Amino acid sequence: MKAALITGVAGQDGSYLAEFLLTKGYTVYGMCRYCSEKKKERLEHLISNTEFHLLEGDLTDTARINSIINSFEQYDSLEVYNLGAQSHVKVSFDQPEYTANVDALGTLRLIEAIRQCGFSHKIRFYQAGTSEMFGASPPPQREGAPFHPRSPYGVAKVYAYWIVRNYRESYNLFACTGILFNHESERRGEEFVTRKVTIGLAEYLKSGKVLELGKLDSQRDWGHAQDYVEAMWLMLQRDEPDDFVVGTGETRSIREFVTAASRTAHIDLTWSGTGPDEEARDANGNLVIRINSEFYRPAEVNSLRADPMRARLILGWTPTISFEELARRMMENDLKKAGVSIP
């Protein structure tokens, strides 16, 4: 019998990973902090599956984590995917202590619970890293590139990376980190910039409300989350644990994402101005987008671009959904949610 435990299962990645593992024949246990009805929305289609089980738990609660890990002793093998986190970069500046408690110490609590249990040899552990760990490190960023995080979120994830590596080397645990670059989807949280764009454009078409954004020049390596969960799984299928950078190897600016999404929404944007004075208008001259400096971060990351060669050569992983397809899917999803029809 093989089982998987996914922390943060109610998030974007958690829901896609749960789907993927169920198709592979796993019994899947998903842990979320407080399983409110809103958080369960991404999981509604899985609740009726008898091989999917929802658990309430918090990465700040040591006793609960220990209890959950120890409950899996009857399984022949267990894969633990630590996807739970406070993952919003801007929020991490406002709540740095909470971010560190969940993202850094939460990882320590989980891997220490695995070390202490009497069946750690049956467990394989995946830690969700992030390209934000590289921060100001020059692109392309690959395994072994220096970390230079520019947010409390990135700093907390660097700690998590090193504690996982330390436990792997010190206690011979099968533990690895996937350093995943930006991956989005129709299930992305509404507080993240890509969903903010697609929801905002849909709202503009519906009511004329102007979309406000922060800096548009930041460049990211964007892929679709559905592709990336397969890379997580592949890392735990190897004979030996290792860390991998996962991304597309291509960058697009936030402005380019806005433009790609607007094409799907049939909004012909014209950009003008620079910096905080930049704006975008439609073909009729109506203001669609303006800059709000309140969305600027205390420290910005200008460019993140993966060098995913090792993941492609060793894991055999390649993304299948293009940037343009990603933007189209997300925009169509939010147009439908807003009840906006495009001819």
Side-chain angles (χ1 to χ4, degrees):
M1 296 187 296
K2 57 183 180 180
L5 170 65
I6 305 170
T7 70
V9 72
Q12 167 191 255
D13 292 8
S15 63
Y16 280 119
L17 180 60
E19 286 177 354
F20 178 83
L21 293 176
L22 287 168
T23 67
K24 295 289 185 181
Y26 288 73
T27 298
V28 177
Y29 293 82
M31 188 182 99
C32 62
R33 183 161 52 90
Y34 170 65
C35 298
S36 65
E37 291 307 311
K38 182 171 179 57
K39 285 193 173 184
K40 288 180 182 177
E41 286 179 0
R42 297 185 182 99
L43 305 173
E44 286 178 351
H45 60 298
L46 301 178
I47 299 299
S48 61
N49 191 317
T50 58
E51 294 302 315
F52 179 74
H53 309 277
L54 203 54
L55 306 172
E56 288 195 4
D58 194 314
L59 287 170
T60 66
D61 188 340
T62 302
R64 179 59 174 158
I65 290 171
N66 288 340
S67 174
I68 289 174
I69 291 298
N70 285 318
S71 70
F72 289 102
E73 188 171 7
Q74 76 273 20
Y75 285 96
D76 298 326
S77 65
L78 173 67
E79 294 176 6
V80 177
Y81 296 86
N82 185 30
L83 310 186
Q86 191 301 101
S87 58
H88 195 281
V89 173
K90 180 66 167 61
V91 170
S92 77
F93 283 103
D94 299 327
Q95 301 180 43
E97 182 179 350
Y98 174 73
T99 301
N101 195 10
V102 175
D103 299 6
L105 295 182
T107 303
L108 173 60
R109 293 182 188 103
L110 189 54
I111 199 165
E112 175 65 8
I114 291 170
R115 184 189 74 84
Q116 288 187 16
C117 79
F119 50 96
S120 61
H121 62 283
K122 297 195 296 185
I123 300 177
R124 295 189 170 200
F125 179 80
Y126 172 86
Q127 167 62 18
T130 170
S131 57
E132 292 290 334
M133 297 179 345
F134 292 120
S137 183
Q141 293 98 357
R142 60 180 63 88
E143 298 86 354
F147 294 137
H148 188 165
R150 299 274 284 170
S151 67
Y153 168 64
V155 171
K157 285 292 191 174
V158 168
Y159 174 91
Y161 169 86
W162 282 113
I163 201 64
V164 169
R165 183 164 173 175
N166 179 264
Y167 269 56
R168 179 172 75 213
E169 296 171 354
S170 300
Y171 303 115
N172 198 32
L173 297 182
F174 194 108
C176 59
T177 297
I179 306 177
L180 273 56
F181 280 61
N182 289 63
H183 46 289
E184 318 293 317
S185 75
E186 305 89 307
R187 301 179 190 176
R188 191 57 145 152
E190 296 181 6
E191 68 274 19
F192 291 88
V193 67
T194 49
R195 279 300 303 288
K196 186 176 181 181
V197 166
T198 54
I199 291 170
L201 290 175
E203 183 60 32
Y204 170 77
L205 289 174
K206 188 174 182 178
S207 67
K209 182 180 179 181
V210 175
L211 170 60
E212 294 187 341
L213 297 171
K215 291 185 177 180
L216 300 176
D217 291 321
S218 297
Q219 295 186 327
R220 296 292 184 268
D221 184 331
W222 270 314
H224 197 290
Q226 195 168 15
D227 281 336
Y228 285 51
V229 298
E230 182 182 14
M232 301 175 190
W233 176 76
L234 286 169
M235 289 181 211
L236 297 195
Q237 309 315 305
R238 302 184 67 242
D239 293 334
E240 299 293 333
D242 202 355
D243 308 317
F244 289 89
V245 162
V246 178
T248 69
E250 301 177 356
T251 56
R252 300 287 198 287
S253 68
I254 295 173
R255 186 184 298 100
E256 287 177 281
F257 183 86
V258 173
T259 300
S262 68
R263 281 197 294 266
T264 297
H266 293 188
I267 303 174
D268 184 13
L269 292 179
T270 299
W271 298 91
S272 64
T274 58
D277 298 320
E278 186 171 9
E279 63 181 26
R281 295 180 179 270
D282 65 16
N284 295 319
N286 299 313
L287 182 63
V288 180
I289 298 167
R290 61 169 164 245
I291 303 302
N292 185 339
S293 59
E294 290 184 6
F295 298 136
Y296 290 3
R297 299 170 182 171
E300 292 284 349
V301 175
N302 294 322
S303 182
L304 294 172
R305 175 164 58 91
D307 178 354
M309 188 57 65
R310 285 187 72 250
R312 297 189 182 192
L313 291 176
I314 298 174
L315 299 179
W317 178 86
T318 55
T320 64
I321 301 171
S322 68
F323 172 79
E324 290 75 16
E325 175 70 5
L326 166 69
R328 184 190 66 79
R329 290 189 187 188
M330 293 182 68
M331 191 68 250
E332 287 181 347
N333 174 72
D334 284 316
L335 288 170
K336 182 178 180 181
K337 283 192 170 185
V340 176
S341 299
I342 298 297

